[in-house]
Amino acid sequence: AMKIVNFLADQHHPKAEFLRGVWLEFGKFGNRTDKKEAFHCYSRALEKGYARAYYRIGMQFEQSNEPLKAISYYQQGVEAGDSAACYRLGMMALLGQHGQPQDFQRGLNLIFSSAETADENAPQGAYVLGMLKVRELAQVSIPERFLPLDIAGARINIEKAAYFGFAKAQVKMGAAYELCELGCEFSPVLSLHYNALAARQGEADAEMAISKWFLCGYEGIFEKNEEMAFKYAQRAAISG
């Protein structure tokens, strides 16, 4: 896979340039961490119209404590319809970050756009919208007049984020099928399924949930397994 992407990136294929930029920014798959070269990869991807690169360049500026440059790139990403840029600017508006005025309506509009266009590389918007709809996003409280409680809508969006591989959404769906939340029926199998997906990404809450399931088992579905229960509790402990 790396050979194919690098081959295409050498020919300036925009998505391949972007992917190589991500590998270099985060030191993935044995690559050295090189934020400067990652920036150049993103810039070349942008020149060819790959809109997601606006978000990653914006994030680099934000992490370098240059919020105005970051916001400029996010705004261009929003204008290009990019989900990740919509998410980041939306959160800024909801929280009033980087000197931006807190604006619930603008923030929600951007989060709605992010949720609608969510993908595997940017599932956060769908998760945040779902959690806002069910009043469970700890860092922000939306007044009722801006966003009424909507359990069914919350489930649709959280499930969407889980499908796209967002670990926190998978943990939430695992809990929902265990505790009959979000309008979900009780399902040990689906609870284990979602928690297993999240545990692969190192989510301690998911590891703890798996441990609890195996500590007791569930009649007719899976046997009690104390060895598995211990293994996952230990993993959760190591994760903090």
Side-chain angles (χ1 to χ4, degrees), residues 1-2 4-6 8-9 13-29 31 37-38 41-46 50 52-53 56 120-121:
M2 288 176 68
I4 293 165
V5 171
N6 281 319
L8 291 170
H13 183 288
K15 186 170 183 180
E17 287 265 38
F18 174 82
L19 287 173
R20 184 152 69 182
V22 172
W23 299 349
L24 290 167
E25 183 179 359
F26 297 103
K28 282 189 169 186
F29 307 130
N31 284 282
E37 184 54 38
C41 288
Y42 298 145
S43 297
R44 288 191 293 269
L46 266 188
Y50 193 70
R52 180 57 46 81
R56 288 263 40 103
E120 288 181 356
N121 188 246

PDB file of all heavy atoms in Angstrom, residues 1-2 4-6 8-9 13-29 31 37-38 41-46 50 52-53 56 120-121:
ATOM      1  N   ALA A   1       0.836  -1.197   0.000  1.00  0.00           N
ATOM      2  CA  ALA A   1       0.000   0.000   0.000  1.00  0.00           C
ATOM      3  C   ALA A   1       0.875   1.253   0.000  1.00  0.00           C
ATOM      4  O   ALA A   1       0.603   2.230  -0.721  1.00  0.00           O
ATOM      5  CB  ALA A   1      -0.926   0.000   1.215  1.00  0.00           C
ATOM      6  N   MET A   2       1.953   1.236   0.808  1.00  0.00           N
ATOM      7  CA  MET A   2       2.849   2.395   0.856  1.00  0.00           C
ATOM      8  C   MET A   2       3.551   2.612  -0.484  1.00  0.00           C
ATOM      9  O   MET A   2       3.716   3.760  -0.917  1.00  0.00           O
ATOM     10  CB  MET A   2       3.879   2.207   1.965  1.00  0.00           C
ATOM     11  CG  MET A   2       3.296   2.335   3.356  1.00  0.00           C
ATOM     12  SD  MET A   2       4.530   1.988   4.622  1.00  0.00           S
ATOM     13  CE  MET A   2       5.609   3.411   4.400  1.00  0.00           C
ATOM     14  N   ILE A   4       2.386   1.898  -3.431  1.00  0.00           N
ATOM     15  CA  ILE A   4       1.416   2.460  -4.380  1.00  0.00           C
ATOM     16  C   ILE A   4       1.202   3.949  -4.109  1.00  0.00           C
ATOM     17  O   ILE A   4       1.234   4.779  -5.028  1.00  0.00           O
ATOM     18  CB  ILE A   4       0.074   1.702  -4.302  1.00  0.00           C
ATOM     19  CG1 ILE A   4       0.246   0.265  -4.800  1.00  0.00           C
ATOM     20  CG2 ILE A   4      -1.008   2.421  -5.114  1.00  0.00           C
ATOM     21  CD1 ILE A   4      -0.912  -0.658  -4.436  1.00  0.00           C
ATOM     22  N   VAL A   5       1.015   4.295  -2.826  1.00  0.00           N
ATOM     23  CA  VAL A   5       0.768   5.702  -2.485  1.00  0.00           C
ATOM     24  C   VAL A   5       1.991   6.559  -2.811  1.00  0.00           C
ATOM     25  O   VAL A   5       1.863   7.650  -3.387  1.00  0.00           O
ATOM     26  CB  VAL A   5       0.367   5.837  -0.996  1.00  0.00           C
ATOM     27  CG1 VAL A   5       0.322   7.309  -0.572  1.00  0.00           C
ATOM     28  CG2 VAL A   5      -1.002   5.200  -0.757  1.00  0.00           C
ATOM     29  N   ASN A   6       3.170   6.070  -2.449  1.00  0.00           N
ATOM     30  CA  ASN A   6       4.388   6.846  -2.746  1.00  0.00           C
ATOM     31  C   ASN A   6       4.609   6.995  -4.243  1.00  0.00           C
ATOM     32  O   ASN A   6       5.024   8.058  -4.716  1.00  0.00           O
ATOM     33  CB  ASN A   6       5.606   6.188  -2.083  1.00  0.00           C
ATOM     34  CG  ASN A   6       5.704   6.502  -0.605  1.00  0.00           C
ATOM     35  OD1 ASN A   6       5.457   7.641  -0.199  1.00  0.00           O
ATOM     36  ND2 ASN A   6       6.062   5.511   0.204  1.00  0.00           N
ATOM     37  N   LEU A   8       2.280   7.125  -6.539  1.00  0.00           N
ATOM     38  CA  LEU A   8       1.322   8.136  -7.017  1.00  0.00           C
ATOM     39  C   LEU A   8       1.700   9.532  -6.514  1.00  0.00           C
ATOM     40  O   LEU A   8       1.551  10.517  -7.245  1.00  0.00           O
ATOM     41  CB  LEU A   8      -0.088   7.780  -6.551  1.00  0.00           C
ATOM     42  CG  LEU A   8      -0.695   6.539  -7.216  1.00  0.00           C
ATOM     43  CD1 LEU A   8      -1.980   6.129  -6.516  1.00  0.00           C
ATOM     44  CD2 LEU A   8      -0.960   6.798  -8.699  1.00  0.00           C
ATOM     45  N   ALA A   9       2.190   9.617  -5.274  1.00  0.00           N
ATOM     46  CA  ALA A   9       2.593  10.928  -4.732  1.00  0.00           C
ATOM     47  C   ALA A   9       3.759  11.511  -5.523  1.00  0.00           C
ATOM     48  O   ALA A   9       3.808  12.723  -5.761  1.00  0.00           O
ATOM     49  CB  ALA A   9       2.964  10.787  -3.258  1.00  0.00           C
ATOM     50  N   HIS A  13      -0.165  13.004  -7.527  1.00  0.00           N
ATOM     51  CA  HIS A  13      -1.586  12.697  -7.360  1.00  0.00           C
ATOM     52  C   HIS A  13      -2.021  13.342  -6.042  1.00  0.00           C
ATOM     53  O   HIS A  13      -1.409  13.102  -4.993  1.00  0.00           O
ATOM     54  CB  HIS A  13      -1.778  11.178  -7.306  1.00  0.00           C
ATOM     55  CG  HIS A  13      -3.202  10.748  -7.196  1.00  0.00           C
ATOM     56  ND1 HIS A  13      -3.927  10.909  -6.033  1.00  0.00           N
ATOM     57  CD2 HIS A  13      -4.042  10.169  -8.090  1.00  0.00           C
ATOM     58  CE1 HIS A  13      -5.153  10.447  -6.209  1.00  0.00           C
ATOM     59  NE2 HIS A  13      -5.243   9.986  -7.460  1.00  0.00           N
ATOM     60  N   PRO A  14      -3.078  14.182  -6.053  1.00  0.00           N
ATOM     61  CA  PRO A  14      -3.375  15.003  -4.857  1.00  0.00           C
ATOM     62  C   PRO A  14      -3.683  14.216  -3.588  1.00  0.00           C
ATOM     63  O   PRO A  14      -3.183  14.553  -2.512  1.00  0.00           O
ATOM     64  CB  PRO A  14      -4.560  15.865  -5.292  1.00  0.00           C
ATOM     65  CG  PRO A  14      -5.102  15.224  -6.529  1.00  0.00           C
ATOM     66  CD  PRO A  14      -3.959  14.521  -7.178  1.00  0.00           C
ATOM     67  N   LYS A  15      -4.508  13.157  -3.676  1.00  0.00           N
ATOM     68  CA  LYS A  15      -4.819  12.410  -2.447  1.00  0.00           C
ATOM     69  C   LYS A  15      -3.585  11.663  -1.947  1.00  0.00           C
ATOM     70  O   LYS A  15      -3.362  11.559  -0.730  1.00  0.00           O
ATOM     71  CB  LYS A  15      -5.974  11.443  -2.662  1.00  0.00           C
ATOM     72  CG  LYS A  15      -6.404  10.767  -1.363  1.00  0.00           C
ATOM     73  CD  LYS A  15      -7.697   9.991  -1.466  1.00  0.00           C
ATOM     74  CE  LYS A  15      -8.091   9.417  -0.107  1.00  0.00           C
ATOM     75  NZ  LYS A  15      -9.355   8.653  -0.163  1.00  0.00           N
ATOM     76  N   ALA A  16      -2.775  11.155  -2.859  1.00  0.00           N
ATOM     77  CA  ALA A  16      -1.551  10.464  -2.463  1.00  0.00           C
ATOM     78  C   ALA A  16      -0.580  11.437  -1.796  1.00  0.00           C
ATOM     79  O   ALA A  16       0.065  11.104  -0.796  1.00  0.00           O
ATOM     80  CB  ALA A  16      -0.904   9.806  -3.674  1.00  0.00           C
ATOM     81  N   GLU A  17      -0.473  12.646  -2.327  1.00  0.00           N
ATOM     82  CA  GLU A  17       0.355  13.684  -1.686  1.00  0.00           C
ATOM     83  C   GLU A  17      -0.141  13.944  -0.270  1.00  0.00           C
ATOM     84  O   GLU A  17       0.635  14.063   0.680  1.00  0.00           O
ATOM     85  CB  GLU A  17       0.264  14.987  -2.491  1.00  0.00           C
ATOM     86  CG  GLU A  17       1.005  14.960  -3.811  1.00  0.00           C
ATOM     87  CD  GLU A  17       2.408  15.537  -3.726  1.00  0.00           C
ATOM     88  OE1 GLU A  17       3.091  15.324  -2.704  1.00  0.00           O
ATOM     89  OE2 GLU A  17       2.818  16.204  -4.682  1.00  0.00           O
ATOM     90  N   PHE A  18      -1.469  14.041  -0.130  1.00  0.00           N
ATOM     91  CA  PHE A  18      -2.055  14.301   1.187  1.00  0.00           C
ATOM     92  C   PHE A  18      -1.723  13.165   2.154  1.00  0.00           C
ATOM     93  O   PHE A  18      -1.294  13.410   3.291  1.00  0.00           O
ATOM     94  CB  PHE A  18      -3.573  14.460   1.058  1.00  0.00           C
ATOM     95  CG  PHE A  18      -4.274  14.592   2.383  1.00  0.00           C
ATOM     96  CD1 PHE A  18      -4.327  15.807   3.035  1.00  0.00           C
ATOM     97  CD2 PHE A  18      -4.873  13.496   2.986  1.00  0.00           C
ATOM     98  CE1 PHE A  18      -4.957  15.932   4.275  1.00  0.00           C
ATOM     99  CE2 PHE A  18      -5.506  13.602   4.210  1.00  0.00           C
ATOM    100  CZ  PHE A  18      -5.553  14.835   4.859  1.00  0.00           C
ATOM    101  N   LEU A  19      -1.917  11.923   1.718  1.00  0.00           N
ATOM    102  CA  LEU A  19      -1.649  10.775   2.588  1.00  0.00           C
ATOM    103  C   LEU A  19      -0.180  10.733   3.009  1.00  0.00           C
ATOM    104  O   LEU A  19       0.132  10.465   4.174  1.00  0.00           O
ATOM    105  CB  LEU A  19      -2.032   9.472   1.878  1.00  0.00           C
ATOM    106  CG  LEU A  19      -3.528   9.200   1.740  1.00  0.00           C
ATOM    107  CD1 LEU A  19      -3.758   7.972   0.868  1.00  0.00           C
ATOM    108  CD2 LEU A  19      -4.176   8.997   3.105  1.00  0.00           C
ATOM    109  N   ARG A  20       0.707  11.006   2.077  1.00  0.00           N
ATOM    110  CA  ARG A  20       2.135  11.019   2.436  1.00  0.00           C
ATOM    111  C   ARG A  20       2.414  12.135   3.444  1.00  0.00           C
ATOM    112  O   ARG A  20       3.221  11.963   4.353  1.00  0.00           O
ATOM    113  CB  ARG A  20       3.013  11.181   1.187  1.00  0.00           C
ATOM    114  CG  ARG A  20       4.494  11.107   1.514  1.00  0.00           C
ATOM    115  CD  ARG A  20       5.336  10.591   0.367  1.00  0.00           C
ATOM    116  NE  ARG A  20       5.403  11.533  -0.740  1.00  0.00           N
ATOM    117  CZ  ARG A  20       6.045  11.284  -1.875  1.00  0.00           C
ATOM    118  NH1 ARG A  20       6.644  10.110  -2.062  1.00  0.00           N
ATOM    119  NH2 ARG A  20       6.072  12.174  -2.849  1.00  0.00           N
ATOM    120  N   GLY A  21       1.715  13.259   3.291  1.00  0.00           N
ATOM    121  CA  GLY A  21       1.845  14.342   4.258  1.00  0.00           C
ATOM    122  C   GLY A  21       1.437  13.901   5.657  1.00  0.00           C
ATOM    123  O   GLY A  21       2.122  14.207   6.648  1.00  0.00           O
ATOM    124  N   VAL A  22       0.326  13.163   5.753  1.00  0.00           N
ATOM    125  CA  VAL A  22      -0.138  12.661   7.050  1.00  0.00           C
ATOM    126  C   VAL A  22       0.907  11.718   7.660  1.00  0.00           C
ATOM    127  O   VAL A  22       1.212  11.795   8.857  1.00  0.00           O
ATOM    128  CB  VAL A  22      -1.500  11.954   6.912  1.00  0.00           C
ATOM    129  CG1 VAL A  22      -1.897  11.256   8.216  1.00  0.00           C
ATOM    130  CG2 VAL A  22      -2.582  12.947   6.500  1.00  0.00           C
ATOM    131  N   TRP A  23       1.461  10.820   6.840  1.00  0.00           N
ATOM    132  CA  TRP A  23       2.475   9.887   7.342  1.00  0.00           C
ATOM    133  C   TRP A  23       3.675  10.646   7.904  1.00  0.00           C
ATOM    134  O   TRP A  23       4.216  10.277   8.945  1.00  0.00           O
ATOM    135  CB  TRP A  23       2.947   8.947   6.230  1.00  0.00           C
ATOM    136  CG  TRP A  23       1.872   8.083   5.651  1.00  0.00           C
ATOM    137  CD1 TRP A  23       0.606   7.888   6.126  1.00  0.00           C
ATOM    138  CD2 TRP A  23       1.971   7.286   4.470  1.00  0.00           C
ATOM    139  NE1 TRP A  23      -0.078   7.024   5.313  1.00  0.00           N
ATOM    140  CE2 TRP A  23       0.721   6.640   4.290  1.00  0.00           C
ATOM    141  CE3 TRP A  23       2.988   7.057   3.543  1.00  0.00           C
ATOM    142  CZ2 TRP A  23       0.470   5.774   3.221  1.00  0.00           C
ATOM    143  CZ3 TRP A  23       2.744   6.204   2.475  1.00  0.00           C
ATOM    144  CH2 TRP A  23       1.502   5.569   2.320  1.00  0.00           C
ATOM    145  N   LEU A  24       4.089  11.712   7.189  1.00  0.00           N
ATOM    146  CA  LEU A  24       5.254  12.476   7.633  1.00  0.00           C
ATOM    147  C   LEU A  24       4.933  13.348   8.850  1.00  0.00           C
ATOM    148  O   LEU A  24       5.763  13.492   9.747  1.00  0.00           O
ATOM    149  CB  LEU A  24       5.772  13.350   6.482  1.00  0.00           C
ATOM    150  CG  LEU A  24       6.438  12.593   5.333  1.00  0.00           C
ATOM    151  CD1 LEU A  24       6.625  13.485   4.112  1.00  0.00           C
ATOM    152  CD2 LEU A  24       7.788  12.035   5.772  1.00  0.00           C
ATOM    153  N   GLU A  25       3.727  13.915   8.885  1.00  0.00           N
ATOM    154  CA  GLU A  25       3.368  14.767  10.025  1.00  0.00           C
ATOM    155  C   GLU A  25       3.350  13.968  11.325  1.00  0.00           C
ATOM    156  O   GLU A  25       3.772  14.458  12.373  1.00  0.00           O
ATOM    157  CB  GLU A  25       1.998  15.420   9.799  1.00  0.00           C
ATOM    158  CG  GLU A  25       1.625  16.372  10.923  1.00  0.00           C
ATOM    159  CD  GLU A  25       0.284  17.069  10.730  1.00  0.00           C
ATOM    160  OE1 GLU A  25      -0.391  16.851   9.700  1.00  0.00           O
ATOM    161  OE2 GLU A  25      -0.092  17.838  11.635  1.00  0.00           O
ATOM    162  N   PHE A  26       2.855  12.727  11.251  1.00  0.00           N
ATOM    163  CA  PHE A  26       2.686  11.923  12.469  1.00  0.00           C
ATOM    164  C   PHE A  26       3.694  10.785  12.601  1.00  0.00           C
ATOM    165  O   PHE A  26       3.602   9.974  13.526  1.00  0.00           O
ATOM    166  CB  PHE A  26       1.259  11.372  12.531  1.00  0.00           C
ATOM    167  CG  PHE A  26       0.224  12.454  12.617  1.00  0.00           C
ATOM    168  CD1 PHE A  26      -0.527  12.804  11.497  1.00  0.00           C
ATOM    169  CD2 PHE A  26       0.009  13.152  13.800  1.00  0.00           C
ATOM    170  CE1 PHE A  26      -1.480  13.815  11.565  1.00  0.00           C
ATOM    171  CE2 PHE A  26      -0.944  14.157  13.883  1.00  0.00           C
ATOM    172  CZ  PHE A  26      -1.685  14.490  12.757  1.00  0.00           C
ATOM    173  N   GLY A  27       4.641  10.690  11.665  1.00  0.00           N
ATOM    174  CA  GLY A  27       5.640   9.628  11.737  1.00  0.00           C
ATOM    175  C   GLY A  27       5.048   8.239  11.626  1.00  0.00           C
ATOM    176  O   GLY A  27       5.444   7.313  12.336  1.00  0.00           O
ATOM    177  N   LYS A  28       4.086   8.069  10.709  1.00  0.00           N
ATOM    178  CA  LYS A  28       3.393   6.785  10.571  1.00  0.00           C
ATOM    179  C   LYS A  28       4.171   5.806   9.689  1.00  0.00           C
ATOM    180  O   LYS A  28       4.907   6.203   8.796  1.00  0.00           O
ATOM    181  CB  LYS A  28       2.007   7.008   9.956  1.00  0.00           C
ATOM    182  CG  LYS A  28       0.961   7.530  10.920  1.00  0.00           C
ATOM    183  CD  LYS A  28      -0.409   7.506  10.269  1.00  0.00           C
ATOM    184  CE  LYS A  28      -1.523   7.758  11.274  1.00  0.00           C
ATOM    185  NZ  LYS A  28      -2.851   7.602  10.673  1.00  0.00           N
ATOM    186  N   PHE A  29       3.927   4.519   9.925  1.00  0.00           N
ATOM    187  CA  PHE A  29       4.428   3.420   9.075  1.00  0.00           C
ATOM    188  C   PHE A  29       5.948   3.488   8.879  1.00  0.00           C
ATOM    189  O   PHE A  29       6.453   3.248   7.782  1.00  0.00           O
ATOM    190  CB  PHE A  29       3.715   3.419   7.718  1.00  0.00           C
ATOM    191  CG  PHE A  29       2.217   3.416   7.809  1.00  0.00           C
ATOM    192  CD1 PHE A  29       1.457   4.326   7.080  1.00  0.00           C
ATOM    193  CD2 PHE A  29       1.554   2.527   8.645  1.00  0.00           C
ATOM    194  CE1 PHE A  29       0.075   4.338   7.163  1.00  0.00           C
ATOM    195  CE2 PHE A  29       0.170   2.538   8.740  1.00  0.00           C
ATOM    196  CZ  PHE A  29      -0.573   3.444   7.999  1.00  0.00           C
ATOM    197  N   ASN A  31       7.872   6.068   8.834  1.00  0.00           N
ATOM    198  CA  ASN A  31       8.390   7.328   8.295  1.00  0.00           C
ATOM    199  C   ASN A  31       8.929   8.198   9.421  1.00  0.00           C
ATOM    200  O   ASN A  31       8.432   8.161  10.546  1.00  0.00           O
ATOM    201  CB  ASN A  31       7.283   8.097   7.560  1.00  0.00           C
ATOM    202  CG  ASN A  31       6.976   7.513   6.200  1.00  0.00           C
ATOM    203  OD1 ASN A  31       7.711   7.727   5.241  1.00  0.00           O
ATOM    204  ND2 ASN A  31       5.894   6.742   6.118  1.00  0.00           N
ATOM    205  N   GLU A  37       8.092  18.983   5.682  1.00  0.00           N
ATOM    206  CA  GLU A  37       7.830  18.287   4.422  1.00  0.00           C
ATOM    207  C   GLU A  37       6.347  17.919   4.307  1.00  0.00           C
ATOM    208  O   GLU A  37       5.777  17.947   3.205  1.00  0.00           O
ATOM    209  CB  GLU A  37       8.702  17.036   4.309  1.00  0.00           C
ATOM    210  CG  GLU A  37       8.565  16.285   2.988  1.00  0.00           C
ATOM    211  CD  GLU A  37       8.787  17.159   1.753  1.00  0.00           C
ATOM    212  OE1 GLU A  37       9.660  18.045   1.773  1.00  0.00           O
ATOM    213  OE2 GLU A  37       8.052  16.946   0.748  1.00  0.00           O
ATOM    214  N   ALA A  38       5.714  17.602   5.442  1.00  0.00           N
ATOM    215  CA  ALA A  38       4.272  17.333   5.434  1.00  0.00           C
ATOM    216  C   ALA A  38       3.515  18.560   4.929  1.00  0.00           C
ATOM    217  O   ALA A  38       2.591  18.445   4.120  1.00  0.00           O
ATOM    218  CB  ALA A  38       3.794  16.965   6.833  1.00  0.00           C
ATOM    219  N   CYS A  41       3.728  18.719   1.277  1.00  0.00           N
ATOM    220  CA  CYS A  41       2.835  17.721   0.666  1.00  0.00           C
ATOM    221  C   CYS A  41       1.394  18.237   0.639  1.00  0.00           C
ATOM    222  O   CYS A  41       0.706  18.132  -0.380  1.00  0.00           O
ATOM    223  CB  CYS A  41       2.892  16.411   1.450  1.00  0.00           C
ATOM    224  SG  CYS A  41       4.419  15.470   1.265  1.00  0.00           S
ATOM    225  N   TYR A  42       0.943  18.783   1.767  1.00  0.00           N
ATOM    226  CA  TYR A  42      -0.417  19.320   1.838  1.00  0.00           C
ATOM    227  C   TYR A  42      -0.596  20.477   0.853  1.00  0.00           C
ATOM    228  O   TYR A  42      -1.640  20.590   0.199  1.00  0.00           O
ATOM    229  CB  TYR A  42      -0.733  19.813   3.255  1.00  0.00           C
ATOM    230  CG  TYR A  42      -0.705  18.748   4.323  1.00  0.00           C
ATOM    231  CD1 TYR A  42      -0.263  19.045   5.607  1.00  0.00           C
ATOM    232  CD2 TYR A  42      -1.139  17.449   4.066  1.00  0.00           C
ATOM    233  CE1 TYR A  42      -0.251  18.075   6.605  1.00  0.00           C
ATOM    234  CE2 TYR A  42      -1.121  16.478   5.053  1.00  0.00           C
ATOM    235  CZ  TYR A  42      -0.677  16.801   6.324  1.00  0.00           C
ATOM    236  OH  TYR A  42      -0.669  15.841   7.299  1.00  0.00           O
ATOM    237  N   SER A  43       0.416  21.328   0.753  1.00  0.00           N
ATOM    238  CA  SER A  43       0.325  22.481  -0.158  1.00  0.00           C
ATOM    239  C   SER A  43       0.205  22.025  -1.608  1.00  0.00           C
ATOM    240  O   SER A  43      -0.588  22.574  -2.378  1.00  0.00           O
ATOM    241  CB  SER A  43       1.554  23.385   0.005  1.00  0.00           C
ATOM    242  OG  SER A  43       1.610  23.912   1.315  1.00  0.00           O
ATOM    243  N   ARG A  44       0.971  20.992  -1.965  1.00  0.00           N
ATOM    244  CA  ARG A  44       0.878  20.467  -3.342  1.00  0.00           C
ATOM    245  C   ARG A  44      -0.487  19.823  -3.583  1.00  0.00           C
ATOM    246  O   ARG A  44      -1.060  19.949  -4.672  1.00  0.00           O
ATOM    247  CB  ARG A  44       2.015  19.471  -3.605  1.00  0.00           C
ATOM    248  CG  ARG A  44       3.383  20.117  -3.733  1.00  0.00           C
ATOM    249  CD  ARG A  44       4.428  19.153  -4.261  1.00  0.00           C
ATOM    250  NE  ARG A  44       4.723  18.064  -3.340  1.00  0.00           N
ATOM    251  CZ  ARG A  44       5.687  18.100  -2.415  1.00  0.00           C
ATOM    252  NH1 ARG A  44       6.437  19.182  -2.269  1.00  0.00           N
ATOM    253  NH2 ARG A  44       5.902  17.053  -1.640  1.00  0.00           N
ATOM    254  N   ALA A  45      -1.020  19.138  -2.567  1.00  0.00           N
ATOM    255  CA  ALA A  45      -2.360  18.540  -2.694  1.00  0.00           C
ATOM    256  C   ALA A  45      -3.410  19.636  -2.893  1.00  0.00           C
ATOM    257  O   ALA A  45      -4.346  19.482  -3.690  1.00  0.00           O
ATOM    258  CB  ALA A  45      -2.687  17.703  -1.464  1.00  0.00           C
ATOM    259  N   LEU A  46      -3.249  20.747  -2.164  1.00  0.00           N
ATOM    260  CA  LEU A  46      -4.184  21.872  -2.295  1.00  0.00           C
ATOM    261  C   LEU A  46      -4.152  22.469  -3.690  1.00  0.00           C
ATOM    262  O   LEU A  46      -5.189  22.832  -4.249  1.00  0.00           O
ATOM    263  CB  LEU A  46      -3.834  22.969  -1.281  1.00  0.00           C
ATOM    264  CG  LEU A  46      -4.548  22.966   0.057  1.00  0.00           C
ATOM    265  CD1 LEU A  46      -4.203  24.227   0.833  1.00  0.00           C
ATOM    266  CD2 LEU A  46      -6.057  22.868  -0.114  1.00  0.00           C
ATOM    267  N   TYR A  50      -7.316  19.308  -3.572  1.00  0.00           N
ATOM    268  CA  TYR A  50      -7.704  18.340  -2.547  1.00  0.00           C
ATOM    269  C   TYR A  50      -8.026  19.099  -1.256  1.00  0.00           C
ATOM    270  O   TYR A  50      -7.148  19.457  -0.472  1.00  0.00           O
ATOM    271  CB  TYR A  50      -6.588  17.314  -2.318  1.00  0.00           C
ATOM    272  CG  TYR A  50      -7.067  16.124  -1.517  1.00  0.00           C
ATOM    273  CD1 TYR A  50      -7.949  15.198  -2.072  1.00  0.00           C
ATOM    274  CD2 TYR A  50      -6.666  15.936  -0.197  1.00  0.00           C
ATOM    275  CE1 TYR A  50      -8.412  14.121  -1.338  1.00  0.00           C
ATOM    276  CE2 TYR A  50      -7.126  14.857   0.545  1.00  0.00           C
ATOM    277  CZ  TYR A  50      -7.997  13.956  -0.036  1.00  0.00           C
ATOM    278  OH  TYR A  50      -8.461  12.894   0.689  1.00  0.00           O
ATOM    279  N   ARG A  52      -9.286  18.571   1.758  1.00  0.00           N
ATOM    280  CA  ARG A  52      -8.979  18.153   3.126  1.00  0.00           C
ATOM    281  C   ARG A  52      -7.643  18.739   3.606  1.00  0.00           C
ATOM    282  O   ARG A  52      -7.416  18.902   4.807  1.00  0.00           O
ATOM    283  CB  ARG A  52      -8.979  16.626   3.208  1.00  0.00           C
ATOM    284  CG  ARG A  52      -8.673  15.988   4.570  1.00  0.00           C
ATOM    285  CD  ARG A  52      -9.623  16.431   5.694  1.00  0.00           C
ATOM    286  NE  ARG A  52     -11.002  16.412   5.349  1.00  0.00           N
ATOM    287  CZ  ARG A  52     -11.780  15.328   5.339  1.00  0.00           C
ATOM    288  NH1 ARG A  52     -11.290  14.160   5.668  1.00  0.00           N
ATOM    289  NH2 ARG A  52     -13.062  15.427   5.021  1.00  0.00           N
ATOM    290  N   ALA A  53      -6.781  19.062   2.668  1.00  0.00           N
ATOM    291  CA  ALA A  53      -5.483  19.616   3.041  1.00  0.00           C
ATOM    292  C   ALA A  53      -5.609  20.967   3.736  1.00  0.00           C
ATOM    293  O   ALA A  53      -4.735  21.342   4.528  1.00  0.00           O
ATOM    294  CB  ALA A  53      -4.593  19.732   1.806  1.00  0.00           C
ATOM    295  N   ARG A  56      -5.597  20.162   7.493  1.00  0.00           N
ATOM    296  CA  ARG A  56      -4.316  19.761   8.075  1.00  0.00           C
ATOM    297  C   ARG A  56      -3.343  20.937   8.142  1.00  0.00           C
ATOM    298  O   ARG A  56      -2.613  21.081   9.123  1.00  0.00           O
ATOM    299  CB  ARG A  56      -3.697  18.605   7.272  1.00  0.00           C
ATOM    300  CG  ARG A  56      -4.418  17.296   7.478  1.00  0.00           C
ATOM    301  CD  ARG A  56      -3.789  16.369   8.505  1.00  0.00           C
ATOM    302  NE  ARG A  56      -3.263  16.959   9.706  1.00  0.00           N
ATOM    303  CZ  ARG A  56      -3.870  16.930  10.882  1.00  0.00           C
ATOM    304  NH1 ARG A  56      -5.037  16.348  11.025  1.00  0.00           N
ATOM    305  NH2 ARG A  56      -3.284  17.449  11.937  1.00  0.00           N
ATOM    306  N   GLU A 120     -14.309   8.643   6.727  1.00  0.00           N
ATOM    307  CA  GLU A 120     -13.409   7.891   7.608  1.00  0.00           C
ATOM    308  C   GLU A 120     -12.263   8.749   8.135  1.00  0.00           C
ATOM    309  O   GLU A 120     -11.725   8.486   9.206  1.00  0.00           O
ATOM    310  CB  GLU A 120     -12.851   6.665   6.884  1.00  0.00           C
ATOM    311  CG  GLU A 120     -13.897   5.573   6.684  1.00  0.00           C
ATOM    312  CD  GLU A 120     -13.341   4.345   5.992  1.00  0.00           C
ATOM    313  OE1 GLU A 120     -12.159   4.365   5.606  1.00  0.00           O
ATOM    314  OE2 GLU A 120     -14.101   3.379   5.833  1.00  0.00           O
ATOM    315  N   ASN A 121     -11.887   9.772   7.384  1.00  0.00           N
ATOM    316  CA  ASN A 121     -10.796  10.643   7.806  1.00  0.00           C
ATOM    317  C   ASN A 121     -11.283  11.786   8.695  1.00  0.00           C
ATOM    318  O   ASN A 121     -10.493  12.448   9.347  1.00  0.00           O
ATOM    319  CB  ASN A 121     -10.074  11.190   6.560  1.00  0.00           C
ATOM    320  CG  ASN A 121      -8.820  11.956   6.889  1.00  0.00           C
ATOM    321  OD1 ASN A 121      -8.745  13.160   6.672  1.00  0.00           O
ATOM    322  ND2 ASN A 121      -7.823  11.271   7.435  1.00  0.00           N
TER     323      ASN A 121
END
